[in-house]
Amino acid sequence: MSEADKQFNIHDYLREYLFPHFLCPGCGHGIALRALLWAIDELDIDKDRLAFVSGIGCSGRLGAYIDANTFHVTHGRPLAFATGLKLARPDLEVIVITGDGDCLAIGGNHLIHACRRNLNITCMMLNNEVYGMTGGQVSPTTSDDRFTTTTPYGNHEPVFDACALAEAAGAGLVGREITLQTPSLKDVLKQGLAHPGFSFIEVMSDCTEVFGRKNDLGSSAEMVLTQKASVRPDFLENAVDQPFRPHQIKTGILASNDRPEYAESYRNHIDAMKRDHGHA
Amino acid sequence: MAESMPSRAPRRTDKTPPAPAIQVAEKPVNVLVVGVGGQGVIMVSKVLATLCQRQGYQVKQSEVHGMAKRGGSVFSHVRFGETVYSPTIPLGEADVLVALEWAEGLRWLSYLKPETGIFIADTQQIVPPFACRNRQHGAGSGYARETVADVIAQVANCYAINAGQIAQELGNSKAGNTMLLGMMSTTLDFPADDWREAIRMFAPPKAIDINMQAFERGRDWVETHDPADLDPNQGGDQPAPIVEVMHEAEFELPVINRAWCKRCDICVKFCPERCLSLDEEQIAVLHAPEKCTLCRICERLCPDFAIDLKYKH
């Protein structure tokens, strides 16, 4: 444990007058928020340089609890707002907090284009497999045969693999971790924040009150333990797939590339144009 | 069994010579080497097996080093004689039991021949994690309680010495196994130079000198030792060494913010020491502060930021 680690006090980063927060008992989003703030503390980023953009949903509300520059925007559009923000103010550290429905369903289009542009934005997607705030509707990441208010006979839509999508769309760094492994989650987020391109981090959260209750998945402690049992960390990448456990979650840093960052190449291009036309 | 072997090694009382060396007869001689992974059990048995082979005997050796990652139990059976059939030693048939660690020696004591067996042990303790269930300062461990005195009462010949410590004084605690080889060399009837030659083959080149010194120390110790001089209080359950645990000094006990706790039970379920519980209002409380090891798991897993461990500095 480093000295900075010991001195990290989460209360330096919270708007305490808004607490206790609105999340249900046992919701994993709080743990993910702690991991994100812990990663920021380790990187020692000035609070005035931090800009959090969040959409709608349980995850979207997290931005409000952070004592920094926060921007609560329309449903599915945090990445679009963040793109504009980063292009206008490249000095800011732009972090997007979004949920599975917000990012993959309503904002799916914005996600693929944000990955394609490869702007220096960190996108933390909290995946709890359901639209929790609006009453428990099915989301693109709801697993097979799970009950939600809109799938009373079980869900049969195939599950969206968000990390595979982000990797294919060209994101600079793609990672995934579960909330129970808080120090590892912090490390993954830290790498995402430090990466110069677009980083997409999927956090496997748990929705105990809506999704867990409807599917009889037990308390939040049981839910996170089930999740942990299905994890296959990246350092076991070469291990043989276990034949009787097909639903394995790959965690860790899943992909990274060093494509040029868009804001920088855009500015270089403009400078070159200005020189060519004699405006510089 | 083994007519040519002494029916009962005379217990040395005064300055009588050490227990007569075991003679190889038609029946094979059985040597059991046990210890903890990383101590050199396999090295000892290799030295012995090579030596016996060079003396013209048939040797069979079999080992279990499945726990060879450091800290696991390791044993090796070495049998040599004119003809050896089985590679393993039956219960109660070992002529010599070489234990590189005290509790491992006790674990295998029943393999020793009741009348003539020679027990050569290092009294150093490597406390296994399962014996350390109480993690408080200075707490006793669940380590074996038998002392050297208890073992002397049970075996025919007992040589017990803290070889690990002596080897450390010589410069490398890993040479403790060679010291035990030196002690064993007096019980088997092979020339000392052949022993040295075999050790040279297996000791790392850098450590040959220290291994030779340890071998001589082991031989000398047996020549001069008197069973009455054995420290009878060695071995046994000694309190765990007091180690300054980093966060015990640097953090205060967890403080639970009752206004923010949402009764989700995560901290209670994941506390490794089970010192948290829910009170009558279903809010988390630290009911056993004396058990808390300040591991900070509750702080990290509280989704409501309701638990804090204050850093003292």
Side-chain angles (χ1 to χ4, degrees):
Chain A
M1 210 190 299
S2 68
E3 189 62 26
D5 219 10
K6 287 182 234 164
Q7 286 186 346
F8 168 55
N9 182 1
I10 189 82
H11 299 282
D12 296 345
Y13 290 89
L14 296 177
R15 287 178 181 153
E16 301 221 332
Y17 56 91
L18 291 173
F19 273 75
H21 58 52
F22 86 112
L23 296 167
C24 310
C27 177
H29 285 19
I31 307 173
L33 178 59
R34 170 184 288 273
L36 178 63
L37 296 176
W38 188 5
I40 287 166
D41 185 80
E42 285 207 351
L43 289 170
D44 203 14
I45 305 170
D46 182 15
K47 270 204 261 186
D48 290 335
R49 271 183 59 229
L50 282 172
F52 290 88
V53 186
S54 56
I56 299 295
C58 301
S59 59
R61 280 290 288 174
L62 289 186
Y65 298 111
I66 305 169
D67 186 23
N69 305 301
T70 57
F71 201 16
H72 196 184
V73 304
T74 52
H75 203 359
R77 273 71 186 164
L79 282 166
F81 280 87
T83 303
L85 184 59
K86 186 70 191 180
L87 281 170
R89 290 285 304 276
D91 56 313
L92 293 180
E93 186 72 44
V94 181
I95 299 159
V96 172
I97 304 176
T98 177
D100 50 326
D102 196 45
C103 185
L104 295 175
I106 299 103
N109 186 24
H110 296 295
L111 172 65
I112 54 174
H113 292 293
C115 293
R116 176 175 66 91
R117 291 194 187 102
N118 201 29
L119 269 159
N120 187 3
I121 294 171
T122 305
C123 174
M124 178 170 88
M125 189 190 90
L126 293 149
N127 178 2
N128 58 3
E129 300 196 20
V130 77
Y131 282 85
M133 184 186 259
T134 50
Q137 290 85 358
V138 68
S139 93
T141 52
T142 308
S143 6
D144 217 15
D145 287 336
R146 290 291 188 218
F147 300 104
T148 65
T149 43
T150 45
T151 56
Y153 304 107
N155 172 40
H156 288 288
E157 291 178 11
V159 177
F160 216 147
D161 185 345
C163 287
L165 170 77
E167 185 187 347
L173 185 127
V174 180
R176 186 193 277 138
E177 194 52 80
I178 61 170
T179 52
L180 187 59
Q181 314 273 30
T182 320
S184 313
L185 174 58
K186 179 259 303 177
D187 288 339
V188 170
L189 286 165
K190 203 170 142 186
Q191 288 188 55
L193 289 162
H195 187 81
F198 185 80
S199 347
F200 180 81
I201 313 292
E202 180 182 7
V203 183
M204 305 299 293
S205 186
D206 62 298
C207 178
T208 315
E209 287 294 316
V210 180
F211 188 70
R213 188 184 296 256
K214 193 131 189 139
N215 290 286
D216 205 12
L217 298 176
S219 69
S220 51
E222 288 167 59
M223 281 182 80
V224 289
L225 280 176
T226 314
Q227 212 171 45
K228 192 188 170 200
S230 59
V231 156
R232 193 163 61 122
D234 54 353
F235 56 81
L236 298 178
E237 194 58 53
N238 297 325
V240 182
D241 277 312
Q242 292 179 20
F244 300 106
R245 288 175 57 195
H247 302 293
Q248 287 178 333
I249 309 169
K250 285 187 186 175
T251 59
I253 300 295
L254 304 179
S256 71
N257 64 48
D258 46 3
R259 291 168 57 223
E261 202 265 337
Y262 178 63
E264 197 187 334
S265 60
Y266 176 70
R267 270 162 217 285
N268 291 344
H269 184 65
I270 288 178
D271 290 346
M273 286 291 117
K274 278 182 179 169
R275 269 198 306 278
D276 289 354
H277 297 281
H279 297 302
Chain B
M1 78 159 291
E3 283 75 31
S4 68
M5 293 197 187
S7 60
R8 186 186 171 90
R11 184 81 65 81
R12 289 181 62 235
T13 48
D14 203 8
K15 289 291 171 196
T16 50
I22 295 166
Q23 303 293 323
V24 182
E26 284 167 19
K27 283 259 186 179
V29 175
N30 302 323
V31 178
L32 181 57
V33 189
V34 301
V36 172
Q39 282 197 299
V41 173
I42 307 295
M43 187 266 193
V44 168
S45 62
K46 272 184 185 166
V47 168
L48 181 61
T50 311
L51 176 71
C52 298
Q53 232 165 9
R54 289 184 157 203
Q55 303 292 323
Y57 294 115
Q58 192 179 11
V59 183
K60 284 208 167 110
Q61 187 250 339
S62 69
E63 69 202 30
V64 167
H65 60 251
M67 293 294 125
K69 66 167 188 178
R70 280 155 203 274
S73 174
V74 179
F75 65 86
S76 175
H77 296 236
V78 183
R79 309 188 80 209
F80 62 94
E82 298 300 337
T83 322
V84 182
Y85 295 106
S86 168
T88 54
I89 302 170
L91 204 65
E93 293 286 313
D95 294 293
V96 184
L97 171 60
V98 181
L100 274 59
E101 201 267 344
W102 184 246
E104 290 299 322
L106 298 174
R107 191 202 296 281
W108 293 94
L109 214 52
S110 54
Y111 276 73
L112 207 55
K113 272 185 192 165
E115 292 86 20
T116 59
I118 299 169
F119 182 58
I120 300 173
D122 185 345
T123 55
Q124 71 166 310
Q125 298 185 3
I126 299 175
V127 184
F130 274 107
C132 308
R133 273 168 290 191
N134 186 346
R135 295 183 222 166
Q136 293 297 313
H137 271 321
S141 68
Y143 194 82
R145 281 173 170 64
E146 284 78 1
T147 59
V148 171
D150 297 333
V151 174
I152 288 176
Q154 284 190 30
V155 300
N157 296 286
C158 176
Y159 299 147
I161 186 172
N162 197 336
Q165 196 188 333
I166 292 171
Q168 195 155 24
E169 284 160 16
L170 288 176
N172 191 344
S173 62
K174 289 179 195 161
N177 59 348
T178 328
M179 186 162 172
L180 295 192
L181 266 175
M183 289 157 75
M184 182 168 58
S185 70
T186 60
T187 67
L188 299 173
D189 192 18
F190 299 136
D193 282 335
D194 291 359
W195 282 94
R196 294 190 187 99
E197 186 57 37
I199 292 169
R200 259 193 207 97
M201 287 170 66
F202 291 99
K206 278 185 199 164
I208 283 181
D209 283 347
I210 227 161
N211 275 294
M212 286 302 138
Q213 286 177 38
F215 181 76
E216 298 306 333
R217 282 289 284 268
R219 274 185 84 87
D220 293 348
W221 187 82
V222 176
E223 298 296 335
T224 56
H225 110 291
D226 180 355
D229 286 348
L230 278 182
D231 181 358
N233 297 321
Q234 287 241 359
D237 180 28
Q238 290 156 5
I242 294 175
V243 182
E244 199 55 48
V245 180
M246 176 185 61
H247 41 255
E248 280 202 63
E250 299 190 333
F251 287 91
E252 286 171 15
L253 283 172
V255 176
I256 295 153
N257 184 340
R258 293 181 67 86
W260 290 9
C261 174
K262 290 209 185 99
R263 310 155 168 88
C264 72
D265 208 22
I266 282 189
C267 54
V268 178
K269 291 272 167 60
F270 284 102
C271 176
E273 306 297 329
R274 304 192 182 175
C275 47
L276 289 156
S277 61
L278 297 185
D279 66 4
E280 64 281 0
E281 288 175 52
Q282 300 296 301
I283 291 175
V285 285
L286 183 68
H287 77 266
E290 72 284 356
K291 282 202 232 160
C292 179
T293 58
L294 307 170
C295 67
R296 301 176 82 197
I297 286 178
C298 53
E299 186 191 30
R300 281 176 192 156
L301 287 182
C302 177
D304 298 298
F305 306 96
I307 303 181
D308 284 304
L309 277 87
K310 201 175 155 204
Y311 186 52
K312 283 183 181 170
H313 302 286

